Amino acid sequence: MSEPMDMSVVQLPAVQAAEAKLLLQTYERNPILFVGGEGVHLIDEQGNRYLDLLSGIGVNALGYAHPAIEEAIAQQSKKLLHISNLFFHTGQAELAARLTEMTGMDRAFFTNSGTEAWEAALKLARLYAGTRRSKGARIGTKFLALDHSFHGRTMGSVATTEKEKYRAPFMPVMPGVDFVPFNDVAALRAAFSDEYCAICVEAVQGEGGIRPVSQEFLDAARELTRSTGALLIVDEIQSGLGRTGKWCAYQHYGVQPDITTLAKPLAGGLPLGAMLCTEEVASTMQPGLHGTTFGGGPLACAVAIAVIDTLKREAMLAHIQDVGGYFRAQLARLAAQHSDIVTGARGLGLMLALELRSADTAKSVAAAMLQRHILINRTSETVLRFLPPYILGKPHVDLAVTALDEILHQHAPAETGAVPRATHGGTQIGR
Ligand SMILES: *Cc1c(COP(=O)(O)O)cnc(C)c1O
């Protein structure tokens, strides 16, 4: 056993050394030790403030130290943290009432994470198809998913995740999953048949690089699944709960799925996921067929209710549309001005991306932003991803865009004659 760390004087190198020795090495962490946060800012152990344009990975929708969340945790912690799913507490029904209204679904099942919500969706699709088969319907057990998809890391979720890197080392994963090229309607029509029990779609692919599905593709997926009685499952774990300026990103398309999944921002930073479905699909579930020890616990539910009520009270969807539209226009301007290294800007609401021509440049730009104490991340090699807290304001956007502009200038190829600007400009976040 190692010596316990003295947390009162703990410094980053000590934590790095201890983790290097003690933890499964699953993450390439940035060398920063965060100890607190306030609003849209994070604070490291030396008291430096960082503008957070990532909010966990799309989790901390209300930012840090939000009074509504602090209050919900304080109140609920005095009552009940956990009760098994063998008994009632008030939180699940109260939260389900809100979520079914927001999503247009009928019933909810609560989990502790995104991947568990997705597993519940896959299992329910199999169960529903099996029930229909037992009544004589021709419907198979396979899933049709999309290239660049990401649905989580457990064996079923990773089986529907296209990226080889996540799936190949763990083969065999759940069999019976095929992939079609993203937004390729002809390929979708050619691939689909009654062998499939569901088509799996992220309305806006997150890990895949902030790629919104096309209207034609989602319409075709809805029409094809209806034609055989298969299900349309839309993963809103990253894009849902207001992130894109609507409660669910599929609402931008006017397409209603049979099952959807939520998680990341649901409980404002506490782990909580939800699978929501129609009455028709839910009717095939029986007590004992699925469950979880922790999922939908009183604390997580109380905080999720506080998060949702705050989003509604503060008209946050309109704010997200407003600030998100402004941010996106600024990114589009940067893309046009730096077309030598940037290929484009895209996204919906506060789920935004700037795509660069090279993965190395993207990595270097994200690192330079971090040096200026602005958190973004790189996904899908060349894509800079922005998933800020919903409470972001336009002045924060201006600050980030000015920093990006300067950094992109510094990364411009020399032959374009771009003049590098000073690194230590006025964009450092105040200390
Ligand atoms: C993050 C994510 C998941 C997995 O969620 P976890 O909580 O990490 O298990 C699934 N689907 C999408 C679209 C995601 O962004």
Side-chain angles (χ1 to χ4, degrees):
M1 253 187 70
S2 343
E3 287 293 300
M5 290 183 287
D6 178 355
M7 294 308 286
S8 63
V9 295
V10 90
Q11 296 290 315
L12 176 63
V15 177
Q16 281 176 309
E19 283 206 355
K21 195 170 147 215
L22 296 168
L23 295 196
L24 200 63
Q25 294 297 294
T26 45
Y27 307 107
E28 264 182 276
R29 298 197 208 280
N30 289 293
I32 302 175
L33 179 62
F34 285 121
V35 294
E38 200 182 358
V40 295
H41 293 105
L42 275 162
I43 301 160
D44 72 13
E45 96 284 18
Q46 292 165 30
N48 297 311
R49 291 167 73 85
Y50 296 71
L51 175 60
D52 183 8
L53 300 183
L54 199 54
S55 57
I57 301 179
V59 168
N60 302 314
L62 293 178
Y64 300 91
H66 194 287
I69 294 182
E70 288 183 351
E71 178 67 14
I73 292 176
Q75 291 306 320
Q76 190 59 42
S77 73
K78 289 178 206 153
K79 296 179 195 160
L80 190 61
L81 291 182
H82 173 79
I83 185 74
S84 74
N85 278 307
L86 301 175
F87 298 95
F88 291 96
H89 67 84
T90 57
Q92 289 195 15
E94 281 185 35
L95 180 55
R98 287 162 173 79
L99 295 181
T100 50
E101 194 207 333
M102 289 157 64
T103 58
M105 294 292 173
D106 299 313
R107 289 180 185 268
F109 172 77
F110 293 109
T111 67
N112 310 287
S113 65
T115 199
E116 286 169 86
W118 190 250
E119 293 283 344
L122 297 177
K123 284 178 76 175
L124 190 56
R126 283 271 175 86
L127 184 65
Y128 178 70
T131 305
R132 292 197 61 240
R133 249 192 326 276
S134 71
K135 292 177 183 161
R138 273 184 62 92
I139 181 115
T141 58
K142 292 171 77 179
F143 292 95
L144 195 57
L146 271 56
D147 283 358
H148 316 300
S149 59
F150 182 87
H151 297 293
R153 307 282 198 159
T154 51
M155 283 294 187
S157 299
V158 88
T160 50
T161 292
E162 186 257 345
K163 206 177 250 185
E164 279 283 314
K165 168 175 110 170
Y166 295 143
R167 190 163 36 87
F170 306 105
M171 296 293 270
V173 294
M174 177 183 77
V177 183
D178 296 318
F179 297 97
V180 290
F182 184 67
N183 279 348
D184 187 334
V185 176
L188 177 70
R189 289 189 186 284
F192 188 75
S193 72
D194 60 14
E195 287 174 34
Y196 294 95
C197 68
I199 298 179
C200 305
V201 183
E202 288 158 87
V204 182
Q205 288 191 334
E207 302 300 311
I210 314 292
R211 290 172 211 280
V213 70
S214 70
Q215 181 75 50
E216 297 70 28
F217 192 91
L218 201 57
D219 283 342
R222 181 66 284 183
E223 175 211 315
L224 289 168
T225 46
R226 281 232 168 89
S227 73
T228 66
L231 302 180
L232 176 62
I233 314 179
V234 178
D235 183 344
E236 295 270 355
I237 289 168
Q238 192 164 143
S239 56
L241 284 157
R243 170 60 62 191
T244 68
K246 293 205 185 269
W247 291 124
C248 294
Y250 59 71
Q251 290 161 346
H252 290 282
Y253 299 82
V255 169
Q256 185 68 18
D258 303 292
I259 301 182
T260 192
T261 50
L262 301 171
K264 287 185 163 97
L266 180 51
L270 287 192
L272 183 65
M275 187 230 30
L276 293 120
C277 64
T278 62
E279 187 66 43
E280 156 89 3
V281 177
S283 68
T284 56
M285 183 53 73
Q286 305 287 328
L289 286 186
H290 192 56
T292 159
T293 297
F294 288 111
L299 181 65
C301 285
V303 175
I305 290 164
V307 168
I308 290 167
D309 290 352
T310 303
L311 296 182
K312 288 182 176 168
R313 192 176 55 245
E314 299 186 359
M316 203 59 92
L317 292 187
H319 174 79
I320 291 165
Q321 287 167 16
D322 180 35
V323 178
Y326 178 73
F327 200 165
R328 192 185 143 147
Q330 299 300 309
L331 291 177
R333 184 175 59 75
L334 284 183
Q337 281 170 3
H338 299 276
S339 59
D340 45 350
I341 51 173
V342 180
T343 62
R346 59 173 175 264
L348 284 168
L350 286 172
M351 185 171 186
L352 296 166
L354 197 64
E355 178 145 25
L356 304 197
R357 293 189 189 279
S358 113
D360 284 345
T361 313
K363 197 171 185 176
S364 169
V365 170
M369 288 289 275
L370 191 58
Q371 271 183 359
R372 290 172 183 236
H373 294 178
I374 303 173
L375 265 64
I376 59 172
N377 104 315
R378 182 180 67 124
T379 185
S380 237
E381 301 296 324
T382 52
V383 178
L384 299 177
R385 174 166 58 170
F386 306 87
L387 296 170
Y390 299 173
I391 56 174
L392 193 78
K394 287 180 186 171
H396 303 123
V397 174
D398 289 339
L399 220 130
V401 167
T402 304
L404 263 175
D405 190 19
E406 291 176 11
I407 291 165
L408 290 170
H409 268 295
Q410 287 160 6
H411 283 78
E415 60 268 29
T416 65
V419 184
R421 297 185 190 177
T423 317
H424 296 290
T427 58
Q428 187 109 342
I429 304 305
R431 301 193 168 204

